[in-house]
């Protein structure tokens, strides 16, 4: 799992840095968005010189995918809130 996480981090860093240098690049990322009722969600994101340029919609989902998405929303909402609560009471380097 550690190697997979390192690869994912390197891949995200590559596209973010490419975007910041003026080369728009699209990659999946977990970002603040409005594509669902959740405040954060993972989807395709285009990065540009100002950071996140576009958070792309999910696209067409099958009936099964829609049901699975709906079933996981309460858990994701709780986990996102726990992260926000943690961030609210802890200092992070700026």
């Amino acid at each position: 799992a550690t190697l997979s996480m390192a690869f994912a981090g390197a891949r995200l860093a590559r596209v973010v840095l490419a975007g910041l240098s003026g080369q728009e690049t699209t990659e999946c990322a977990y970002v603040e968005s409005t594509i669902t009722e959740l405040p954060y969600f993972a989807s395709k994101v285009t990065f540009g010189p100002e950071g996140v340029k576009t958070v792309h919609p999910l696209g067409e989902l099958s009936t099964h995918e829609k049901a699975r998405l709906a079933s996981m929303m309460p858990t994701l909402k709780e986990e996102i809130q726990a992260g926000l609560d943690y961030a609210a009471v802890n200092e992070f380097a700026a």
Side-chain angles (χ1 to χ4, degrees), residues 15-76:
V15 298
V16 169
L17 292 173
L20 292 173
S21 71
Q23 177 186 352
E24 288 187 8
T25 311
T26 301
E27 183 63 80
C28 290
Y30 182 73
V31 296
E32 188 172 16
S33 75
T34 58
I35 63 170
T36 69
E37 65 267 18
L38 300 173
Y40 296 88
F41 204 78
S43 66
K44 287 185 180 179
V45 177
T46 298
F47 296 92
E50 303 298 318
V52 173
K53 180 178 179 186
T54 306
V55 178
H56 299 276
L58 293 177
E60 193 63 35
L61 299 176
S62 70
T63 302
H64 175 74
E65 291 168 328
K66 288 176 187 174
R68 296 294 294 154
L69 180 61
S71 72
M72 72 178 190
M73 286 296 190
T75 301
L76 289 174

